[in-house]
Amino acid sequence: MIIYKTAEEIEIMREAAQIVSRTLGIIAAEIGPGATPNKLDAIAEEYILSQNAVPGFKGLYGCPSTLLISVNEQVVHGLPTDKPLKDGDIVSVDCGSVYNGYYGDHAYTFQIGEVSDEKKRLLKVTYECLMLGIAEAKLGNRIGDISFAIQNHAEKHGYGVVRDLVGHGLGKTLHEDPQVPNYGRRGRGKKIQDGLTIAIEPMINMGTEKVIQLDDNWTIVTEDGLPSAHFEHDIAVINGKPEILSTFDYVEDALKNKG
Ligand code: MG
Ligand code: MG
């Protein structure tokens, strides 16, 4: 059952999303060759707690960390380690918060040092998939229109669209109805209407769409070992149109300032 949100609830969710956005901005300033995921995780947790919020993932489903940090062929759900990031990596940083009982959940894939043109293209197309999907989250459409837009753009570029993990409704719980797959058909699925709050999160692989889970029971990796990218925003449908509750502005400002 989809739980549609009131305007007041959406404003709380906007703050939850913005806390994550600011956290990712801080991570953007810190991340680079030599940075360790565990250090980034500690920085994120400290910041979220300073914002009258709590980390959204830590403790949920047994998750041990504030951030999920997925490097190269890791698609999502990578657990932070002490292994330093290195030049040429691409790194998805996924972060959740709970603020006044509501979740924020969003993610950005960072480039570490000098990244190959192939990887840059994967990141660009995955980001475009996210924005094309968001544009479809409007009155008169169905969830399948979001899914189709993402799949169509990714496959046009020859990329694999992950099937096993999907976007989702968001609210007082991290994963609510409806599921928001990154593949699907136009005009299918639930109708989009005001008060719908969802996390849209394309996970796009350079090669095969197939993924496997590592023995840690968390980390999802591509079956062929080729890199994967992941961008996520939190969306509310307001007055028939998608509004992005999260933002990459803090990330982009931080990356600009690093030069
Ligand atoms: Mg997420
Ligand atoms: Mg999510």
Side-chain angles (χ1 to χ4, degrees):
M1 196 189 71
I2 297 176
I3 303 167
Y4 297 95
K5 311 300 187 297
T6 64
E8 290 74 19
E9 288 179 293
I10 290 172
E11 285 319 303
I12 299 170
M13 290 185 66
R14 189 193 304 278
E15 181 54 20
Q18 292 281 319
I19 289 167
V20 173
S21 303
R22 297 196 296 269
T23 306
L24 292 177
I26 292 166
I27 296 305
E30 297 287 333
I31 202 167
T36 68
N38 272 334
K39 175 85 188 300
L40 300 175
D41 188 60
I43 291 168
E45 178 167 2
E46 188 187 346
Y47 179 72
I48 291 171
L49 292 173
S50 79
Q51 301 301 296
N52 297 319
V54 294
F57 303 157
K58 197 170 183 175
L60 192 67
Y61 315 123
C63 179
S65 58
T66 294
L67 301 178
L68 292 166
I69 299 181
S70 308
V71 183
N72 297 326
E73 79 283 0
Q74 298 178 348
V75 180
V76 286
H77 299 173
L79 299 179
T81 66
D82 282 321
K83 193 176 165 203
L85 301 173
K86 55 184 199 308
D87 198 48
D89 286 343
I90 56 171
V91 182
S92 157
V93 179
D94 197 350
C95 181
S97 75
V98 189
Y99 174 76
N100 279 1
Y102 289 83
Y103 278 85
D105 170 23
H106 96 109
Y108 188 90
T109 301
F110 293 94
Q111 305 180 28
I112 306 302
E114 203 44 55
V115 162
S116 71
D117 288 343
E118 262 187 310
K119 282 180 169 174
K120 279 185 186 156
R121 186 166 152 269
L122 176 68
L123 294 181
K124 178 172 177 285
V125 170
T126 304
Y127 177 78
E128 289 166 357
C129 285
L130 172 62
M131 300 315 288
L132 289 167
I134 291 170
E136 297 296 321
K138 59 187 181 190
L139 204 64
N141 275 1
R142 290 174 182 267
I143 296 295
D145 293 296
I146 300 171
S147 306
F148 174 82
I150 292 169
Q151 179 182 11
N152 183 50
H153 191 63
E155 291 184 349
K156 222 166 54 188
H157 288 85
Y159 294 143
V161 177
V162 174
R163 265 45 172 193
D164 293 3
L165 300 122
V166 296
H168 49 93
L170 186 72
K172 284 185 177 175
T173 52
L174 180 61
H175 298 119
E176 297 185 349
D177 284 341
Q179 289 198 344
V180 185
N182 297 307
Y183 60 94
R185 292 165 68 180
R186 271 185 182 134
R188 298 295 178 91
K190 298 280 188 213
K191 279 185 184 166
I192 288 163
Q193 59 187 74
D194 282 346
L196 180 73
T197 50
I198 51 177
I200 301 180
E201 49 178 320
M203 290 157 254
I204 306 298
N205 299 346
M206 195 178 282
T208 180
E209 70 202 39
K210 295 208 175 96
V211 298
I212 48 177
Q213 191 173 43
L214 296 185
D215 289 341
D216 64 6
N217 287 324
W218 275 92
T219 316
I220 306 291
V221 299
T222 57
E223 197 184 81
D224 59 10
L226 290 175
S228 181
H230 176 220
F231 290 93
E232 179 176 22
H233 266 318
D234 298 335
I235 310 302
V237 180
I238 301 172
N239 296 327
K241 291 198 281 285
E243 201 166 302
I244 306 176
L245 303 179
S246 44
T247 177
F248 292 137
D249 286 356
Y250 299 104
V251 165
E252 281 159 9
D253 285 351
L255 295 178
K256 244 178 263 161
N257 288 338
K258 285 195 333 186

